[in-house]
Structure formats: C-alpha cells, structure tokens
Amino acid sequence: AALAATQVPVPAALGLCEDPAVTGAPFYVMAHVDGTVPRDEATVTAAFDEQARAAAADSLVDALVALHDVDPDAVGLGRLGRREGYLERQLRRWKRQLEQSRTRELPVLDEVHRRLEASVPAQVGPARVVHGDYRLDNVILSPAGQVLAVLDWELCTLGDPLADIGLLLVYWAEPGDADLPLGTAPTRLPGFPPRAALTAAYAARSGRATDQLDYYVAFGYWKLAVILEGVYARYTAGAYGEGDDTWRAFAGTVVQLADRALQATSRAGR
C-alpha cells in the first residue's frame, strides 16, 4: 500500500483484516495482476521470445532502481526497520537460523560467516527499502516483458540496497555456468543478458558504485544456503511427510551454494 503511489510496480492492496477470528490469522487481499510469473525454463520459453526476455531483464532493473529511489519517510515506511547496521543484523539473524537448524557440520558456511563478519563494507548512502528476495520469479511480467508487479515482500526491511542486486546475481544463471545449485535457470535462455550487463545497468541507472558487489553476492549465496539448510533440516525431521524425497537434494545444494559464497569472498578480497 505504501508503494502504490511510487514508480515501483506492486499489486493494489484492497484490504487488511487483523482479526485472527476470521481465518485464523491476519490477512490481506490484493488485486489480481494478469500476467506471467517466469518461474522456469518451460514457462519462459512458452511465454516470451528473445526480445521480451531482454525487455524483462531491463524492466527488472528499472523496478529495482525505482524501489531503491523511494524515500522511506516520504511513503510512511520510516519505521519499517532500523536504518543502520543492516549487514551486521542480517549476519546475526541468519547465523542464529543456521544454529537452530543445524543437523550436520558445515564448516564452509561457518568460514564464510567469519569472513563476512570480519569485513562488513560501510553502507554508502541512506537506508532504503530492501526487498530481501528480489529475483525474476518474484515478479509478474506482461507478454512484452514489462514488470507489472513485484511480489513476495515478506523479507523486506530498511537497509543497504546493494544486498538486493547481490542476491539477484546469485539467482541469475547464464550460459556456461557449470552447475545450477537452484535447479531451474530461465535466465540462461537466449535474450537474457549476462550478469555483468545486469550489474552495469543497475549501476548506471541507480548511480550506486558496485565495486564491492562481490561481498554482497557472497552474502546472498551464504544467506540462501542457510535458508535451504533450514528446509533440509525440516525434511530430515519428517516435517514434509513420507513419500516425498524432493527435499533430499537440498543437502548437496547447500554445499554448492556455500562453496560459491566462499569463492565470492575470495574475489572480494575477504
């Protein structure tokens, strides 16, 4: 609702009910947005030609720049979160999450955390609204590739906007990538630009320096590894029932992501 009057494309917020007696929990209703969520290769191949894919990448950058241009105070989001120490808070939060879901020794995750914690870059510029999970399949696209709505705001807060572009690059696979820790990777299809072009476009349009972006990429890999380790821990505890081994593969995925995080810290000189 706060972003409705800005350049950030969001679904219209139609109503909020905070009475848990209605459905068992507070809930909100948003407008339907008619478009395509580019979830996987099959969906993207069927819905978008190469020109539309290139347009989607361009529009994705525009939407992120628009979000990071929003003054939180001007739209009533000044109290969404603390403005200082974003990375330090995130490192503490996800480290606690890792400890709570630890089912095995993962020394590479601990080493990455040590490196990230030891050399947190100073935030440049004021705190902005950070989406927290900004990626291609968290938007709705028009047939021409325009971002019609950004979805899934559950992890949003105030903080360092470079964390969003760092995580976007984590998800943004490109042709030639040896392995795909996340399984599906529609951005490898023809028409999507490489990560370097995405970074350059964001830097040019936002005016933000990206010379320390490898740190934020490393943090993105580490954070995602911690989240998926939590999913794997719930799987091993039987939370997903019997007969579904889908989550078993997350054991290897977490290690792959952790290794990529370690490589990124080395590129960042950490």
Side-chain angles (χ1 to χ4, degrees), residues 89-104:
R89 295 198 313 277
Q90 288 283 299
L91 287 167
R92 288 194 299 269
R93 172 188 176 179
W94 294 108
K95 185 62 159 55
R96 287 196 303 270
Q97 183 78 11
L98 177 61
E99 294 302 331
Q100 291 168 5
S101 60
R102 193 182 289 276
T103 62
R104 54 187 175 149

Side-chain angles (χ1 to χ4, degrees), residues 140-181:
I140 298 175
L141 298 177
S142 74
Q146 178 188 1
V147 175
L148 300 176
V150 180
L151 307 175
D152 291 356
W153 293 87
E154 288 85 355
L155 296 178
C156 71
T157 186
L158 300 184
D160 191 332
L162 288 179
D164 274 340
I165 186 69
L167 186 62
L168 177 60
L169 295 182
V170 165
Y171 286 107
W172 199 271
E174 58 188 35
D177 283 352
D179 57 312
L180 300 173

Side-chain angles (χ1 to χ4, degrees), residues 20-63:
V22 178
T23 65
F27 68 94
Y28 69 94
V29 179
M30 67 183 181
H32 172 73
V33 177
D34 190 13
T36 300
V37 175
R39 178 71 64 185
D40 50 34
E41 290 93 334
T43 301
V44 171
T45 299
F48 307 104
D49 59 19
E50 290 189 30
Q51 183 176 355
R53 294 170 201 165
D58 197 55
S59 186
L60 195 69
V61 172
D62 280 344

Side-chain angles (χ1 to χ4, degrees), residues 6 28 48 65 89-90 104 112 145 148 166 189 193 201 214 224 247 257-258:
T6 72
Y28 69 94
F48 307 104
V65 170
R89 295 198 313 277
Q90 288 283 299
R104 54 187 175 149
V112 171
L148 300 176
L189 294 170
D214 279 328
L224 184 56
W247 315 106
L257 291 169

Side-chain angles (χ1 to χ4, degrees), residues 80-82 86 89-90 128-132 155-159:
L80 182 63
R82 290 171 53 191
Y86 169 79
R89 295 198 313 277
Q90 288 283 299
R128 289 299 191 225
V129 177
V130 176
H131 181 277
L155 296 178
C156 71
T157 186
L158 300 184

Side-chain angles (χ1 to χ4, degrees), residues 10-11 63 175 185 211 223 244 261:
V10 291
D211 54 304
K223 170 184 167 182
D244 183 1

